[in-house]
Amino acid sequence: MLNHHHQNLVAQYDGENIRGVAVLSFPHVELEKSKAHSSSKSITTLGTLNVFYFSHYQLFILQLNDWKYALLPNLMVTGTKKADKQGYIYTLPHEDGFHHLKIDSMALDSAIKNFETVLLKSSDFYYVTNGIKYKPSPNPVQRCRMSGNKPYSTNTNGVAIIGQDDTCM
């Protein structure tokens, strides 16, 4: 979960530094890489998954240690509950296979919902349950009004509210 001390990620663009703001953070995430057409998987790293927003590009970037991944509208990302129901697995494509982000059950439900909202708005996101792929509802359970251009705000606990402001009905 993101606390009040926001982290920044800096990108270079035409010699200019562009800052991304951390909007979500998940400790104890496992990143696994698998190759297409192969059953072998290798755990590449464990660490804290950070989600950064770059307003200059209107782009979310995922980062776990040295690994960075830009969420793009044409990339199909899937999410599912772990087989033991103790956390979530998100699968993201890469050039010769897939990245699997495994978030443990210690993550707050509100943070998971916000992460899935980021995925829904920034990629071609689907849930997979019992082998069936379906699109999540674009309407969140709690409806909030947008008061500006800001793609996120934070509540009093420092949890990012993606695509919403603090004025909820």
Side-chain angles (χ1 to χ4, degrees):
M1 173 174 38
L2 186 68
N3 59 27
H4 292 290
H5 176 270
H6 293 304
Q7 297 176 338
N8 291 313
L9 183 65
V10 178
Q12 287 274 326
Y13 180 74
D14 287 338
E16 193 178 327
N17 285 338
I18 312 252
R19 289 199 182 276
V21 177
V23 294
L24 284 170
S25 184
F26 297 95
H28 315 294
V29 173
E30 181 180 314
L31 173 65
E32 185 178 79
K33 187 176 181 179
S34 65
K35 292 193 177 261
H37 312 296
S38 173
S39 61
S40 66
K41 294 180 182 179
S42 63
I43 296 173
T44 56
T45 191
L46 291 171
T48 298
L49 174 67
N50 291 300
V51 180
F52 292 93
Y53 181 70
F54 287 82
S55 60
H56 182 81
Y57 300 108
Q58 296 184 349
L59 179 70
F60 285 95
I61 304 266
L62 307 179
Q63 178 192 27
L64 195 147
N65 298 336
D66 293 338
W67 176 80
K68 293 178 186 77
Y69 192 92
L71 294 173
L72 302 172
N74 61 335
L75 295 175
M76 186 172 78
V77 176
T78 60
T80 188
K81 277 281 232 184
K82 285 185 177 178
D84 61 5
K85 305 289 188 218
Q86 298 297 312
Y88 304 86
I89 300 173
Y90 298 94
T91 302
L92 307 109
H94 72 85
E95 62 190 31
D96 62 343
F98 299 95
H99 295 291
H100 307 280
L101 291 171
K102 298 179 179 184
I103 299 176
D104 67 23
S105 60
M106 298 299 288
L108 295 174
D109 284 341
S110 60
I112 291 293
K113 285 184 186 358
N114 286 332
F115 182 61
E116 290 178 353
T117 300
V118 166
L119 294 174
L120 182 63
K121 293 184 180 281
S122 303
S123 69
D124 189 15
F125 178 60
Y126 291 87
Y127 288 116
V128 176
T129 304
N130 298 324
I132 299 170
K133 182 174 75 169
Y134 63 96
K135 202 72 155 154
S137 170
N139 301 321
V141 174
Q142 182 181 21
R143 295 176 185 229
C144 297
R145 284 185 273 128
M146 294 292 288
S147 65
N149 296 345
K150 208 167 149 184
Y152 70 92
S153 64
T154 55
N155 67 13
T156 55
N157 296 324
V159 175
I161 309 298
I162 307 300
Q164 301 172 354
D165 68 7
D166 296 326
T167 313
C168 296
M169 299 173 210

